[in-house]
Amino acid sequence: MNIKTLRNLLCVCVCTASFLPVSVSAQISTDQLDGRINTINTAVPFLRIDPDARSGAMGDVGISLSADANSIYWNTAKLSFADAPTALSVTYTPWLKELVNDIFLADVSGYKKLNDGDQAITASLRYFSLGSITFTNFTGQIIGNFNPREFTFTAGYSRKIADNFSTGINLGYIYSNLASGQSVNNVPIKPGIAAAADISFMYHKDFKMKDSKQKSYYNIGLTISNIGNKITYTQSAENKDFIPTNLGIGGGPTFNFDEYNSLHIGAEINKLLVPTPDSAGNFRTLSVPAGIISSFSDAPGGAKEELHELMYSAGTEYWYKSQFAIRAGYFNEHATKGNRKYLTAGIGIKYNVFGLNFSYLIPTSNQKNPLDNTLRFSLIFDFKEKNVKAPDNNTTTE
């Protein structure tokens, strides 16, 4: 396989998984940064794709949303406040649907509360298929086909450490096979492998509105996800690539107006804890701890560029009789950091133990999004068990 073919393959993989422009100018200086693209690129960016149609319909808000089977992706700590003792979710997301039909993200997630009701265990398997790639040699002759693919398996644990406060931890295994069996300049390409951990916190507080007999509540959550080793696809790589370590903070109230109507309003701020590219390329030589620490102050454009690296999202969810939901949201990223700006909308239907969520993305910027005009869905199953103590928070689990 020639270098050009490999470069194109890696660009396709990164671009389709992260929404972000792949190329970053080799020469970056402080006086050049106004209006210039300086995105933060990582390996295995599929780890930051929202696998949940419920949150996907709310502008990718999920950290402080009420607990469900997909909580392991957003905030494992909130499972300690879940109503349903056991839940399972299956999600399918077509990717780049307007261009190809064989790229997709599939996810299976679930949790089980333990007997005291204050603890929970959870697990998730996420699989990202990048379709079929045709390899050619220097003369353009076809030398074979390959199916790039990536997956991650994650397991987690949540526990209350106070009446209104809980914490959670996840451990995950990451496998990324983009061109295994091929080589560049006689250097074999191998699958990239990494291990990662998440740590999360949740504060939950009940309150009552005037003239309402139902308990309302608000949640505040914090998650640091994908803390793990750097990854490489060759044995001889001098500098390995960071995985997308991320800090997310979110919060919002849920108003239970009566036994029929409830409304959640949430907002989040996210930031990648990965070094910002510099002109000399020194950011790739940093260790993982050094990269996390430096990510708050290493932008070539100073404090202004650091603020540009924040991603904002807001969303709302209305439920009628805990059976029918309408959702909407908005996501915003600065133009020099990827320029993802989009509205989202969706609905949810729940009957007994079965639920179905749909989401749809509407771009509001010139930046193309792999989910443009794509309908994605999640199946949710909430199982009831008599031997599990129900939490006394009167929350609504969708």
Side-chain angles (χ1 to χ4, degrees):
M1 179 177 63
N2 60 36
I3 295 176
K4 181 178 180 181
T5 300
L6 177 62
R7 184 174 65 247
N8 291 341
L9 169 64
L10 295 179
C11 287
V12 168
C13 294
V14 173
C15 185
T16 56
S18 66
F19 310 171
L20 303 180
V22 178
S23 300
V24 179
S25 174
Q27 298 298 323
I28 303 173
S29 62
T30 303
D31 60 350
Q32 288 179 322
L33 279 172
D34 272 344
R36 296 294 184 92
I37 293 174
N38 190 23
T39 58
I40 300 175
N41 296 316
T42 70
V44 291
F46 83 101
L47 295 177
R48 291 297 302 156
I49 299 175
D50 174 6
D52 175 15
R54 180 190 178 196
S55 295
M58 301 175 63
D60 293 339
V61 168
I63 292 175
S64 63
L65 203 57
S66 61
D68 63 14
N70 292 294
S71 295
I72 188 171
Y73 175 78
W74 298 103
N75 184 347
T76 294
K78 64 185 181 180
L79 290 175
S80 295
F81 298 100
D83 279 348
T86 306
L88 177 70
S89 171
V90 180
T91 299
Y92 177 80
T93 303
W95 208 247
L96 287 172
K97 182 174 177 291
E98 293 188 331
L99 299 178
V100 295
N101 58 10
D102 59 353
I103 300 179
F104 65 89
L105 176 76
D107 179 88
V108 178
S109 301
Y111 74 85
K112 178 178 177 57
K113 300 198 75 174
L114 303 182
N115 287 334
D116 64 1
D118 292 339
Q119 304 176 69
I121 54 175
T122 180
S124 171
L125 176 63
R126 200 178 327 155
Y127 178 82
F128 187 55
S129 171
L130 286 138
S132 179
I133 299 292
T134 300
F135 292 133
T136 62
N137 59 20
F138 284 99
T139 64
Q141 182 181 3
I142 295 176
I143 59 176
N145 295 314
F146 187 72
N147 298 106
R149 58 201 179 273
E150 301 174 303
F151 76 85
T152 176
F153 175 77
T154 306
Y157 172 75
S158 172
R159 181 184 181 90
K160 277 187 184 179
I161 55 178
D163 288 342
N164 300 317
F165 189 73
S166 64
T167 186
I169 186 170
N170 299 331
L171 295 175
Y173 170 81
I174 303 163
Y175 177 88
S176 176
N177 190 349
L178 300 182
S180 179
Q182 304 298 318
S183 63
V184 175
N185 295 334
N186 295 321
V187 177
I189 300 172
K190 67 181 185 68
I193 296 175
D198 310 335
I199 185 169
S200 55
F201 304 92
M202 172 66 81
Y203 179 78
H204 170 96
K205 182 67 175 178
D206 294 333
F207 67 91
K208 273 196 173 184
M209 296 184 297
K210 185 178 180 180
D211 300 326
S212 175
K213 296 181 180 180
Q214 305 294 316
K215 284 183 180 179
S216 297
Y217 64 93
Y218 64 87
N219 290 334
I220 300 173
L222 183 149
T223 298
I224 304 176
S225 59
N226 304 321
I227 308 168
N229 60 287
K230 297 164 77 172
I231 197 170
T232 182
Y233 295 93
T234 65
Q235 295 287 0
S236 60
E238 295 182 4
N239 297 314
K240 299 180 180 181
D241 295 308
F242 290 92
I243 66 174
T245 307
N246 184 81
L247 169 65
I249 302 173
T254 296
F255 303 102
N256 292 314
F257 301 105
D258 50 43
E259 59 183 318
Y260 298 108
N261 301 280
S262 67
L263 178 69
H264 173 78
I265 301 172
E268 287 182 13
I269 299 175
N270 283 273
K271 174 179 169 54
L272 285 171
L273 302 183
V274 178
T276 304
D278 55 31
S279 59
N282 294 328
F283 70 100
R284 300 189 67 216
T285 66
L286 296 175
S287 66
V288 172
I292 292 175
I293 294 172
S294 68
S295 67
F296 292 97
S297 59
D298 63 352
K304 181 179 179 180
E305 187 182 355
E306 290 290 347
L307 291 175
H308 291 170
E309 293 179 356
L310 300 179
M311 295 164 278
Y312 305 92
S313 54
T316 185
E317 175 184 64
Y318 167 77
W319 277 93
Y320 177 71
K321 295 182 68 174
S322 297
Q323 293 181 341
F324 180 74
I326 300 175
R327 305 181 177 108
Y330 181 71
F331 181 95
N332 183 81
E333 182 178 60
H334 195 269
T336 63
K337 296 298 177 178
N339 199 31
R340 290 178 295 167
K341 304 177 191 296
Y342 50 83
L343 292 167
T344 61
I347 61 172
I349 302 170
K350 183 177 180 183
Y351 181 76
N352 201 1
V353 301
F354 172 79
L356 185 59
N357 295 322
F358 297 92
S359 67
Y360 191 81
L361 184 146
I362 308 166
T364 60
S365 71
N366 293 328
Q367 176 66 38
K368 294 291 291 182
N369 192 297
L371 289 174
D372 286 357
N373 305 311
T374 300
L375 184 69
R376 50 180 165 162
F377 66 90
S378 298
L379 295 174
I380 302 286
F381 301 90
D382 290 338
F383 303 102
K384 301 184 183 299
E385 298 175 359
K386 294 181 179 180
N387 62 335
V388 179
K389 182 184 74 175
D392 184 23
N393 57 29
N394 196 33
T395 62
T396 301
T397 300
E398 292 78 52

